[in-house]
Amino acid sequence: MNASNTARAYGWVARFFHWTVAALILAAIALGLYAGSLPKGGEAQLQAIFQTYSVHKTVGVTALTLAVLRILWTLTQKKPLPLHPGRRLEGFVAETVHWGLWIGMIIMPISGWLLHSAAPGGFARILWPLGQRLPMVPEDAALAERFAAFHKLGWLLLGGLILLHILGALKHVIIDRDGTLSRMAGNPERAPEPPTATSGVLPHLLAALAGIAIWAGAALTIAAAPTKDGENIPASAPQAAATSGWAVQQGTLNIEATQAGSTVSGRFDQWQAVIDYDPESQTGRVVVNVDIASLTLGAVSDTAKGPDFLNAAAHPNAVFEADILPATSAGPSHIARGRLTIAGHAVETDLPFELTVNGDEAQAKGSLQVDRRDFGIGTSYGDESTVGFGVNISFDLTAKRQ
Ligand code: HEM
Ligand code: HEM
């Protein structure tokens, strides 16, 4: 069989590319959907999900590599001539779908890779040694969500185009009973001789534009979708009055998250707090530095500290820098108002807490509910079925005036 295409049939190189890329793309769709459907519970199940996504991504980047090589090869090749040049509309639709497929086989893996690169803290790894993140893509939860939305709309579009393409191939086999499929799949010797009618360049150009328009429509739909508010970090809180230092004697820093509907509790064993507080004015300042690696969280400690969540390797510390102010409303007596930075994302935060000062001893106790999405944590867990959005952080400490 010829390596190159002839006027009657595709050569073996084009066939090899067509069928391997087709199989990889269908496999990527199946794996993506399968990964999303896996049960989400304990650590073992999370690992299974990560592994499936890793295979999904690896299959996707392999498809991208082969698709690029395929395009380069196709540019050097002539195209087998149409079998029914008179059927203008049918030819136009088939060619539009081909253009949609060409674009889709490039844009889908790229959108997946962009999503993978923008997701803060990373995600399941691509199983290859050639680097993970695309250059110049910032780690940004909102951006990752955009790419994810495009990736999800994109697979539906690509799936629809593949379906049309397969239906077209079946029509040639069942209704037309012509040799269209044998040009790509069967013996090229048996492929029928096409008529030597020539067509102008305009129909091809229009089909290319139609294919581009399909994907541009999808991109514009996602770009025009409203953004989630609250991504911006407000200016920092006002400074509090002059103070005196307090040293923490003992204390606990706990967290509670929801995993597959049930609560998992854990604690950070290593953290430091620098506290200034003036009992007269009831104002002060606190800076808390938390060692993420010191977290224990039931059976999912490693997952929680891993790249998909807190990513201790990239962001070893969480920091809370706040002004202490007397509370103005009912409830706990004080508020720590400032900036909480977790996994590299800073969010303006109010932490209400109860403070009792007894001579040189102080006891403080408070809790706070945060939304993991505000810190770009677990962006790939777009709903609450595996890991809830809300995480409760609570502390209880005693401190001594210095
Ligand atoms: C699995 C079922 C599939 C069947 C039966 C099939 C069949 C065919 C056939 C018969 C042709 C030649 C059409 C002609 O000569 O005019 C063709 C071309 C083509 N197919 Fe498929 N295909 C399948 C899947 C896919 C998939 C999944 C993709 C990509 C996502 C794809 C992309 C293409 C493209 C871009 C062409 C045009 C090739 C060129 O002009 O060089 N196909 N396919
Ligand atoms: C041939 C290319 C690809 C196709 C057809 C494809 C298709 C899919 C599908 C069908 C899903 C499930 C969507 C859903 O649950 O609604 C998915 C999810 C995903 N894909 Fe791909 N994918 C491709 C390549 C890639 C690549 C190369 C990467 C990364 C390097 C990637 C990263 C992801 C991620 C992170 C998700 C989860 C998105 C989320 O749930 O937010 N994909 N993909």
Side-chain angles (χ1 to χ4, degrees):
M1 194 196 291
N2 279 336
S4 297
N5 298 350
T6 63
R8 281 168 64 189
Y10 291 93
W12 69 259
V13 180
R15 289 168 182 230
F16 165 79
F17 278 133
H18 176 272
W19 294 112
T20 41
V21 171
L24 287 169
I25 284 177
L26 293 174
I29 294 178
L31 283 161
L33 295 178
Y34 176 64
S37 75
L38 282 173
K40 297 150 181 121
E43 193 175 356
Q45 287 174 329
L46 280 177
Q47 288 304 337
I49 294 171
F50 296 158
Q51 273 161 16
T52 313
Y53 273 121
S54 280
V55 178
H56 167 78
K57 293 173 180 184
T58 312
V59 167
V61 290
T62 311
L64 175 64
T65 312
L66 284 173
V68 170
L69 293 175
R70 179 179 177 190
I71 288 170
L72 294 176
W73 172 256
T74 303
L75 290 175
T76 69
Q77 296 294 299
K78 68 173 136 196
K79 211 170 145 54
L81 292 173
L83 284 177
H84 315 283
R87 298 184 194 170
R88 295 247 170 106
L89 182 63
E90 188 180 309
F92 172 76
V93 173
E95 209 176 332
T96 300
V97 171
H98 285 175
W99 273 100
L101 293 171
W102 284 121
I103 298 169
M105 68 179 85
I106 298 293
I107 212 168
M108 270 309 285
I110 288 185
S111 69
W113 206 347
L114 286 168
L115 148 64
H116 169 85
S117 308
F123 186 54
R125 294 175 65 77
I126 304 168
L127 305 172
W128 71 354
L130 300 179
Q132 294 290 321
R133 291 177 190 278
L134 288 168
M136 324 242 289
V137 182
E139 277 188 47
D140 179 331
L143 191 64
E145 265 177 41
R146 275 291 147 112
F147 290 138
F150 181 86
H151 200 64
K152 286 183 179 180
L153 181 63
W155 89 259
L156 288 170
L157 190 53
L158 182 60
L161 290 166
I162 293 173
L163 198 66
L164 284 175
H165 183 64
I166 293 175
L167 288 176
L170 287 177
K171 174 191 175 278
H172 283 289
V173 174
I174 297 166
I175 300 175
D176 297 339
R177 293 169 185 264
D178 61 18
T180 302
L181 190 57
S182 66
R183 287 148 63 106
M184 186 56 99
N187 184 347
E189 300 307 322
R190 294 221 202 108
E193 195 67 51
T196 47
T198 49
S199 64
V201 76
L202 189 65
H204 302 299
L205 195 66
L206 287 177
L209 286 176
I212 293 168
I214 290 171
W215 284 101
L220 286 175
T221 306
I222 299 300
T227 43
K228 211 170 60 132
D229 280 330
E231 302 294 342
N232 295 336
I233 300 156
S236 69
Q239 293 288 315
T243 52
S244 68
W246 296 71
V248 175
Q249 303 297 293
Q250 60 176 46
T252 53
L253 181 59
N254 298 323
I255 71 166
E256 267 185 4
T258 313
Q259 194 206 357
S262 33
T263 304
V264 266
S265 308
R267 52 181 279 158
F268 293 94
D269 285 325
Q270 302 288 325
W271 52 274
Q272 289 106 34
V274 179
I275 307 168
D276 278 346
Y277 177 70
D278 173 18
E280 283 277 314
S281 64
Q282 297 192 312
T283 58
R285 183 150 181 90
V286 60
V287 178
V288 186
N289 207 309
V290 183
D291 181 355
I292 297 296
S294 72
L295 172 68
T296 42
L297 186 64
V300 290
S301 301
D302 288 342
T303 311
K305 289 180 274 188
D308 301 302
F309 291 95
L310 291 165
N311 199 358
H315 305 288
N317 298 96
V319 179
F320 183 43
E321 291 177 73
D323 292 316
I324 299 171
L325 307 164
T328 48
S329 53
S333 60
H334 287 69
I335 291 178
R337 173 166 293 161
R339 181 173 290 196
L340 177 60
T341 307
I342 308 177
H345 289 251
V347 172
E348 224 56 39
T349 305
D350 268 2
L351 164 59
F353 68 97
E354 195 59 59
L355 178 67
T356 339
V357 181
N358 207 340
D360 285 343
E361 285 254 328
Q363 189 169 27
K365 193 176 178 171
S367 72
L368 160 77
Q369 183 83 6
V370 296
D371 188 324
R372 65 173 168 84
R373 293 170 298 180
D374 294 341
F375 300 91
I377 292 172
T379 31
S380 41
Y381 294 84
D383 63 24
E384 302 202 273
S385 49
T386 323
V387 185
F389 296 142
V391 175
N392 191 275
I393 305 173
S394 58
F395 78 94
D396 191 342
L397 63 82
T398 53
K400 203 167 178 161
R401 197 197 295 260
Q402 294 301 287

